[in-house]
Amino acid sequence: MKGYQVTFYTQQNRRHAGKMLADWVVGLAKELGLGGATLVSGIEGFGHDGRFHSHHFFEMADQPMLIVLALTEGECARLFQRLEAEGLSLFYVKVAAEFGLLEGSQPAAAS
């Protein structure tokens, strides 16, 4: 299939509708019937404002979070329409991608 890989960037301390924003976006993907979403916790990074974000032993609120999705063009349009309707401010990267599923009958042999 052809479509997009979309990655959203946020921090653990951001909230929407009473939930952690990253969890809310993953839940929205499920609600919209999208093929899947992966939530990734980052160790450190910095944003467009140059402010450093990192995972600290005592305080993880500022921890970077990424939500990664592989979407068809139609799925992408539906997701972005919904996010815009929610009034969210959320940085993303959208890259054209080819994706699919390999469904072999045997597990890969070890070399």
Side-chain angles (χ1 to χ4, degrees):
M1 268 188 265
K2 296 215 184 265
Y4 302 100
Q5 177 178 321
V6 177
T7 305
F8 294 101
Y9 295 80
T10 187
Q11 294 87 38
Q12 188 170 358
N13 62 351
R14 291 198 55 204
R15 299 257 187 247
H16 182 72
K19 294 178 79 175
M20 186 174 77
L21 177 59
D23 286 340
W24 184 87
V25 172
V26 170
L28 175 61
K30 185 170 174 102
E31 175 188 319
L32 293 175
L34 305 182
T38 301
L39 179 57
V40 180
S41 298
I43 299 210
E44 62 185 23
F46 66 92
H48 67 281
D49 60 0
R51 203 173 76 123
F52 190 71
H53 305 279
S54 73
H55 163 82
H56 300 282
F57 182 72
F58 293 108
E59 180 60 52
M60 295 190 315
D62 199 34
Q63 182 175 5
M65 306 294 287
L66 286 75
I67 306 110
V68 183
L69 306 100
L71 305 168
T72 65
E73 189 172 336
E75 289 171 335
C76 192
R78 285 190 339 213
L79 177 61
F80 275 79
Q81 286 171 353
R82 180 67 184 276
L83 293 171
E84 289 171 4
E86 293 286 331
L88 291 174
S89 176
L90 187 59
F91 181 79
Y92 68 92
V93 173
K94 178 176 152 182
V95 180
E98 178 180 326
F99 56 93
L101 178 64
L102 295 175
E103 294 189 83
S105 60
Q106 305 260 347
S111 302

